[in-house]
mmCIF file of all heavy atoms in Angstrom:
data_model
loop_
_atom_site.group_PDB
_atom_site.id
_atom_site.type_symbol
_atom_site.label_atom_id
_atom_site.label_comp_id
_atom_site.label_asym_id
_atom_site.label_seq_id
_atom_site.Cartn_x
_atom_site.Cartn_y
_atom_site.Cartn_z
ATOM 1 N N GLU A 279 -19.469 -11.745 -46.887
ATOM 2 C CA GLU A 279 -18.719 -11.954 -48.124
ATOM 3 C C GLU A 279 -17.770 -10.786 -48.377
ATOM 4 O O GLU A 279 -18.169 -9.623 -48.352
ATOM 5 C CB GLU A 279 -19.674 -12.137 -49.311
ATOM 6 C CG GLU A 279 -18.971 -12.405 -50.621
ATOM 7 C CD GLU A 279 -18.099 -13.650 -50.583
ATOM 8 O OE1 GLU A 279 -18.510 -14.669 -49.991
ATOM 9 O OE2 GLU A 279 -16.991 -13.597 -51.146
ATOM 10 N N TRP A 282 -12.642 -10.528 -44.810
ATOM 11 C CA TRP A 282 -11.822 -11.652 -44.376
ATOM 12 C C TRP A 282 -11.313 -11.427 -42.960
ATOM 13 O O TRP A 282 -10.671 -10.416 -42.668
ATOM 14 C CB TRP A 282 -10.673 -11.869 -45.356
ATOM 15 C CG TRP A 282 -11.183 -12.383 -46.664
ATOM 16 C CD1 TRP A 282 -11.633 -11.649 -47.723
ATOM 17 C CD2 TRP A 282 -11.362 -13.752 -47.018
ATOM 18 N NE1 TRP A 282 -12.073 -12.491 -48.727
ATOM 19 C CE2 TRP A 282 -11.909 -13.789 -48.327
ATOM 20 C CE3 TRP A 282 -11.096 -14.961 -46.385
ATOM 21 C CZ2 TRP A 282 -12.202 -14.978 -48.983
ATOM 22 C CZ3 TRP A 282 -11.378 -16.146 -47.041
ATOM 23 C CH2 TRP A 282 -11.927 -16.142 -48.327
ATOM 24 N N TRP A 296 -2.451 -13.118 -51.128
ATOM 25 C CA TRP A 296 -3.313 -13.735 -52.129
ATOM 26 C C TRP A 296 -2.586 -13.912 -53.461
ATOM 27 O O TRP A 296 -1.803 -13.061 -53.880
ATOM 28 C CB TRP A 296 -4.551 -12.874 -52.371
ATOM 29 C CG TRP A 296 -5.459 -12.728 -51.199
ATOM 30 C CD1 TRP A 296 -5.663 -11.589 -50.460
ATOM 31 C CD2 TRP A 296 -6.311 -13.711 -50.626
ATOM 32 N NE1 TRP A 296 -6.580 -11.826 -49.469
ATOM 33 C CE2 TRP A 296 -7.006 -13.124 -49.550
ATOM 34 C CE3 TRP A 296 -6.563 -15.056 -50.920
ATOM 35 C CZ2 TRP A 296 -7.915 -13.813 -48.768
ATOM 36 C CZ3 TRP A 296 -7.477 -15.747 -50.141
ATOM 37 C CH2 TRP A 296 -8.146 -15.132 -49.080
ATOM 38 N N GLY A 299 -5.584 -12.332 -58.635
ATOM 39 C CA GLY A 299 -6.994 -12.578 -58.922
ATOM 40 C C GLY A 299 -7.772 -13.220 -57.782
ATOM 41 O O GLY A 299 -8.958 -13.493 -57.918
ATOM 42 N N GLN A 300 -7.113 -13.435 -56.647
ATOM 43 C CA GLN A 300 -7.764 -14.050 -55.486
ATOM 44 C C GLN A 300 -7.929 -12.993 -54.382
ATOM 45 O O GLN A 300 -7.167 -12.055 -54.323
ATOM 46 C CB GLN A 300 -6.942 -15.227 -54.969
ATOM 47 C CG GLN A 300 -6.739 -16.330 -55.981
ATOM 48 C CD GLN A 300 -8.038 -16.947 -56.452
ATOM 49 O OE1 GLN A 300 -9.003 -17.079 -55.706
ATOM 50 N NE2 GLN A 300 -8.076 -17.320 -57.729
ATOM 51 N N PRO A 301 -8.882 -13.139 -53.533
ATOM 52 C CA PRO A 301 -9.944 -14.136 -53.558
ATOM 53 C C PRO A 301 -10.975 -13.799 -54.637
ATOM 54 O O PRO A 301 -11.275 -12.629 -54.873
ATOM 55 C CB PRO A 301 -10.557 -14.031 -52.160
ATOM 56 C CG PRO A 301 -10.299 -12.620 -51.732
ATOM 57 C CD PRO A 301 -8.999 -12.230 -52.379
ATOM 58 N N ASP A 302 -11.523 -14.836 -55.262
ATOM 59 C CA ASP A 302 -12.457 -14.597 -56.361
ATOM 60 C C ASP A 302 -13.857 -15.163 -56.118
ATOM 61 O O ASP A 302 -14.755 -14.942 -56.929
ATOM 62 C CB ASP A 302 -11.899 -15.153 -57.671
ATOM 63 C CG ASP A 302 -11.719 -16.666 -57.663
ATOM 64 O OD1 ASP A 302 -11.998 -17.313 -56.623
ATOM 65 O OD2 ASP A 302 -11.297 -17.205 -58.691
ATOM 66 N N ASN A 303 -14.048 -15.892 -55.027
ATOM 67 C CA ASN A 303 -15.355 -16.466 -54.689
ATOM 68 C C ASN A 303 -15.970 -17.221 -55.864
ATOM 69 O O ASN A 303 -17.161 -17.114 -56.142
ATOM 70 C CB ASN A 303 -16.316 -15.397 -54.158
ATOM 71 C CG ASN A 303 -17.503 -16.010 -53.434
ATOM 72 O OD1 ASN A 303 -17.392 -17.061 -52.820
ATOM 73 N ND2 ASN A 303 -18.642 -15.349 -53.517
ATOM 74 N N ALA A 304 -15.138 -18.014 -56.543
ATOM 75 C CA ALA A 304 -15.632 -18.824 -57.664
ATOM 76 C C ALA A 304 -16.783 -19.703 -57.190
ATOM 77 O O ALA A 304 -16.795 -20.176 -56.058
ATOM 78 C CB ALA A 304 -14.507 -19.679 -58.230
ATOM 79 N N ALA A 305 -17.757 -19.898 -58.032
ATOM 80 C CA ALA A 305 -18.953 -20.693 -57.735
ATOM 81 C C ALA A 305 -19.761 -20.088 -56.590
ATOM 82 O O ALA A 305 -20.632 -20.732 -56.037
ATOM 83 C CB ALA A 305 -18.606 -22.151 -57.439
ATOM 84 N N HIS A 306 -19.430 -18.882 -56.213
ATOM 85 C CA HIS A 306 -20.161 -18.123 -55.183
ATOM 86 C C HIS A 306 -20.199 -18.815 -53.828
ATOM 87 O O HIS A 306 -21.110 -18.578 -53.041
ATOM 88 C CB HIS A 306 -21.577 -17.794 -55.664
ATOM 89 C CG HIS A 306 -21.588 -17.080 -56.970
ATOM 90 N ND1 HIS A 306 -21.139 -15.796 -57.123
ATOM 91 C CD2 HIS A 306 -21.974 -17.499 -58.209
ATOM 92 C CE1 HIS A 306 -21.240 -15.433 -58.381
ATOM 93 N NE2 HIS A 306 -21.737 -16.445 -59.066
ATOM 94 N N GLU A 308 -16.807 -19.757 -52.051
ATOM 95 C CA GLU A 308 -15.437 -19.937 -51.574
ATOM 96 C C GLU A 308 -15.206 -18.955 -50.432
ATOM 97 O O GLU A 308 -15.018 -17.768 -50.650
ATOM 98 C CB GLU A 308 -14.430 -19.712 -52.709
ATOM 99 C CG GLU A 308 -14.520 -20.766 -53.777
ATOM 100 C CD GLU A 308 -13.400 -20.676 -54.791
ATOM 101 O OE1 GLU A 308 -12.826 -19.582 -54.984
ATOM 102 O OE2 GLU A 308 -13.101 -21.707 -55.406
ATOM 103 N N TYR A 317 -0.560 -22.821 -56.721
ATOM 104 C CA TYR A 317 -0.461 -21.370 -56.938
ATOM 105 C C TYR A 317 0.844 -20.827 -56.363
ATOM 106 O O TYR A 317 0.903 -19.714 -55.865
ATOM 107 C CB TYR A 317 -1.633 -20.645 -56.281
ATOM 108 C CG TYR A 317 -2.975 -20.796 -56.972
ATOM 109 C CD1 TYR A 317 -3.188 -21.710 -57.989
ATOM 110 C CD2 TYR A 317 -4.041 -20.009 -56.584
ATOM 111 C CE1 TYR A 317 -4.422 -21.837 -58.599
ATOM 112 C CE2 TYR A 317 -5.287 -20.130 -57.191
ATOM 113 C CZ TYR A 317 -5.458 -21.048 -58.191
ATOM 114 O OH TYR A 317 -6.693 -21.169 -58.801
ATOM 115 N N ASN A 322 -5.312 -18.664 -51.580
ATOM 116 C CA ASN A 322 -6.463 -18.847 -52.448
ATOM 117 C C ASN A 322 -7.696 -19.040 -51.574
ATOM 118 O O ASN A 322 -7.613 -19.610 -50.488
ATOM 119 C CB ASN A 322 -6.247 -20.093 -53.310
ATOM 120 C CG ASN A 322 -7.443 -20.429 -54.159
ATOM 121 O OD1 ASN A 322 -7.883 -19.630 -54.983
ATOM 122 N ND2 ASN A 322 -8.002 -21.606 -53.960
ATOM 123 N N ASP A 323 -8.839 -18.542 -52.035
ATOM 124 C CA ASP A 323 -10.096 -18.862 -51.350
ATOM 125 C C ASP A 323 -10.645 -20.138 -51.961
ATOM 126 O O ASP A 323 -10.503 -20.386 -53.147
ATOM 127 C CB ASP A 323 -11.101 -17.710 -51.412
ATOM 128 C CG ASP A 323 -11.498 -17.305 -52.823
ATOM 129 O OD1 ASP A 323 -10.708 -17.515 -53.766
ATOM 130 O OD2 ASP A 323 -12.597 -16.754 -52.985
ATOM 131 N N SER A 324 -11.252 -20.959 -51.114
ATOM 132 C CA SER A 324 -11.730 -22.253 -51.565
ATOM 133 C C SER A 324 -13.026 -22.609 -50.847
ATOM 134 O O SER A 324 -13.393 -21.975 -49.857
ATOM 135 C CB SER A 324 -10.662 -23.321 -51.271
ATOM 136 O OG SER A 324 -11.000 -24.549 -51.852
#
Side-chain angles (χ1 to χ4, degrees):
E279 182 59 40
W282 291 87
W296 296 110
Q300 300 299 325
D302 64 358
N303 197 32
H306 305 291
E308 293 189 335
Y317 287 11
N322 175 59
D323 60 334
S324 188

